[in-house]
Amino acid sequence: MITTVYSSVRGYRDIMTIQRSLDAFKLLITATSDLLRINQLKAFGSAALNHLLTLMELESSALYIARCQTDYDEKSTNSIIACTGKYVSESDSLESSNISGLIKKMIIQAFDNKRHYFGPDSFVGYYETDSNSASVLYIEFEDDSEHFKSNLAELYATNVVLILETLTKKHEIERTQKELLYVVGEAVEARSKETGAHVKRVALICGLLAQKLGLNERFIDAIRLAAPLHDVGKIAIPEAILHKPGKLNDEEWEIMKTHAEVGAEILSKSQVSLSKLGSKLAHYHHENWDGSGYPEGLKGENIPLEARIMAVADVFDALGSKRCYKKPWSDDEIKAFLISEKQKKFQANLVDIVIKDFDEFSQIRTQFPDDY
Amino acid sequence: MITTVYSSVRGYRDIMTIQRSLDAFKLLITATSDLLRINQLKAFGSAALNHLLTLMELESSALYIARCQTDYDEKSTNSIIACTGKYVSESDSLESSNISGLIKKMIIQAFDNKRHYFGPDSFVGYYETDSNSASVLYIEFEDDSEHFKSNLAELYATNVVLILETLTKKHEIERTQKELLYVVGEAVEARSKETGAHVKRVALICGLLAQKLGLNERFIDAIRLAAPLHDVGKIAIPEAILHKPGKLNDEEWEIMKTHAEVGAEILSKSQVSLSKLGSKLAHYHHENWDGSGYPEGLKGENIPLEARIMAVADVFDALGSKRCYKKPWSDDEIKAFLISEKQKKFQANLVDIVIKDFDEFSQIRTQFPDDY
């Protein structure tokens, strides 16, 4: 009888204990889903810390995530990629960050020895994420009686680090893509003796125009990325024509105009979305709203929207810049020209947007000046 | 007394039930970690299905994951990105895949109505992953008495789809990067009248050499990606020199040689890892092992390994190809030349590797022939 009662009571306690674990596991799983939806490193760090605090039933603490990345040439760099709590800046090199020396030492130790450390009021977890990167999670507890003993928090930490790794890689490759596109665009422009900053500015102006048109985020990002490719066809134009200081004669002009189709052809070799957009920009950025442009003489909305945006951005920036055959125009001259070309060269509402927020567009030029 | 016994028994049953749930939750969490480590779509699909089967305590079933992606221009495409079970091919458009018409209809319905469906022996789950994509998970059960009722499997499915989304995006952006690099490399080569296939072949030859040298995966991938950029400096060489059919005179030769430094300079504007590698390749791919090369006249191991690999790959492919000033060389002529240049133009062991597996290297040319 007594045994039965005992066992019953123990049964109840066990149920409570397991039920609590169950709730915690559910929390862990939804926390993982939450993290998977986050695309920003900063937001990621905060969310991960808050989930950990909840899982460990703590009030507050600090979390730093350091990452060791081994490059293709086996050089390693340690950086802080997410943090929350006392230390707030991010994406620093670990060395130059203003994290305290003791903590730096603990993090480096974890990287070197490839294992976890438990301090009196901290936990340092080491996680190998793939063959060329590892992460260290440093957690400091406010209440020094608490330790990082929860198996649950450990499980969660593994997911945190794995998701963060994917996120970091995605950011890295996106940055690589953007920079390579600028570099290529600049190389092409350098050939036609325009400065590289034109490429960057036109990309930003296209993005701003797309944004003010209310187009979706994906379109804005895509046009900003692909814009540097719009003149890639100039690669095939003889320098005698490209660098002629005076006016081109008819024959030279015909050759010059081929850069639109050549660029489109170069980019059409790839079927990825960004190349297809670049191909459209290259092909149609000299078409005019009234049909007087080249190479196809398309009219109005038959010209792809991407190219109509590009046309305005390209001319807006070129007018304000110095070229071998002209001085930069004043703001008033640019405004007057754009207005005079409404419904002729340019779609009217695109001109209206630039005129309305002229200063905002001009600011892009101020931010990225040509250097002579 | 009876009540106590009952409650004790019930307590035990409850503990068993909850304990089973707890085990299932633990399984779910480790399953999520497993998935996060997978980088291949195919492996991902199989792992996800197997985890689901375990979670649902089923023997076998089929799983298809369809994805609807909205492009920058708001065009949507549906594709099958992971599958396992009866239907095995992947990365197809949903329309052209040989999934049965009924199942296609159910998947499209889920995309259109943005909600889950329960069939007699199947579950169709709809998951919005971000503003421009959504996934549908189609699960068919062998045993038609089983349904997809498990809350656990639902929770897991959410993670599956989110992780898959990230993986798909990563693949997409990597493909974009690779194709853009080829396109740019081809554009530069086109200017010097070499065919685009040279760029692709040299990239693959560099990769194969790096692999046979036992270098790490990351190095192999990086050199394969950056190789198309090695001649980017040719963008600045006047076409009179670039296209001269005969031999260049001294002055012309000096100008031609500048392409190495110009290329390095163009690429050094970006600090991302791939550009830095491209910059090294551009700078040093005409350096010779014995110090007789240009632009720096570096010797032996002072030449970065990347550039030593590039030098062999570039010459190997150029010799076997037709150029405006020469016919393609025979295999025996190429072998004899490479051997004669051991320790002169080329690092000896790199030549040895090419000679040893000559057929494997030649095969890259057979696979990507120039078209005239």
Side-chain angles (χ1 to χ4, degrees), chain A residues 26-42:
Chain A
K26 275 186 193 155
L27 179 69
L28 200 163
I29 290 152
T30 45
T32 301
S33 302
D34 282 355
L35 280 193
L36 283 165
R37 292 176 201 277
I38 297 177
N39 198 26
Q40 298 298 328
L41 286 176
K42 194 151 195 136

Side-chain angles (χ1 to χ4, degrees), chain A residues 11-12 14-16 18-19 22, chain B residues 6-21:
Chain A
Y12 179 76
D14 286 354
I15 292 178
M16 283 301 97
I18 301 179
Q19 185 62 50
L22 201 57
Chain B
Y6 272 152
S7 101
S8 168
V9 169
R10 213 183 56 220
Y12 178 75
R13 260 205 267 126
D14 286 355
I15 292 179
M16 283 301 97
T17 311
I18 301 179
Q19 185 62 52
R20 262 215 310 280
S21 304

Side-chain angles (χ1 to χ4, degrees), chain A residues 28 31-32 35-36 44 48 51-52 55 63 65 116 123-130 134-137 139 148 150-166, chain B residues 26 28-37 163:
Chain A
L28 200 163
T32 301
L35 280 193
L36 283 165
F44 184 95
H51 291 148
L52 274 171
L55 284 169
L63 167 87
I65 306 176
H116 295 346
F123 166 75
V124 189
Y126 172 82
Y127 307 87
E128 218 160 71
T129 34
D130 77 32
S135 291
V136 162
L137 206 81
I139 307 172
F148 189 79
S150 154
N151 180 38
L152 213 59
E154 256 286 20
L155 280 172
Y156 181 64
T158 307
N159 283 354
V160 167
V161 168
L162 286 169
I163 299 171
L164 187 60
E165 177 64 21
T166 320
Chain B
K26 276 187 192 155
L28 199 164
I29 290 151
T30 46
T32 301
S33 301
D34 282 355
L35 281 193
L36 282 166
R37 291 178 202 277
I163 298 171

Side-chain angles (χ1 to χ4, degrees), chain B residues 140-176:
Chain B
E140 190 175 299
F141 310 113
E142 289 287 297
D143 173 354
D144 68 13
S145 71
E146 286 287 349
H147 286 248
F148 188 78
K149 281 174 197 151
S150 153
N151 181 37
L152 214 59
E154 256 286 21
L155 279 172
Y156 181 64
T158 307
N159 283 354
V160 167
V161 169
L162 286 169
I163 298 171
L164 186 61
E165 177 64 21
T166 318
L167 188 60
T168 309
K169 285 241 168 89
K170 192 166 153 269
H171 277 249
E172 189 189 312
I173 190 169
E174 277 170 350
R175 194 177 147 219
T176 303

Side-chain angles (χ1 to χ4, degrees), chain A residues 222-249:
Chain A
I223 199 168
R224 212 188 271 130
L225 281 169
L229 298 172
H230 75 282
D231 263 345
V232 78
K234 282 194 182 164
I235 215 166
I237 306 298
E239 57 259 32
I241 295 173
L242 216 46
H243 304 160
K244 190 172 174 182
K247 232 182 141 165
L248 300 179
N249 65 35

Side-chain angles (χ1 to χ4, degrees), chain A residues 175-186:
Chain A
R175 191 177 148 219
T176 302
Q177 174 170 291
K178 196 184 85 189
E179 295 213 6
L180 283 171
L181 288 169
Y182 276 149
V183 159
V184 168
E186 286 180 21

Side-chain angles (χ1 to χ4, degrees), chain B residues 227-238:
Chain B
L229 298 172
H230 75 282
D231 264 346
V232 78
K234 282 195 181 164
I235 214 167
I237 306 299

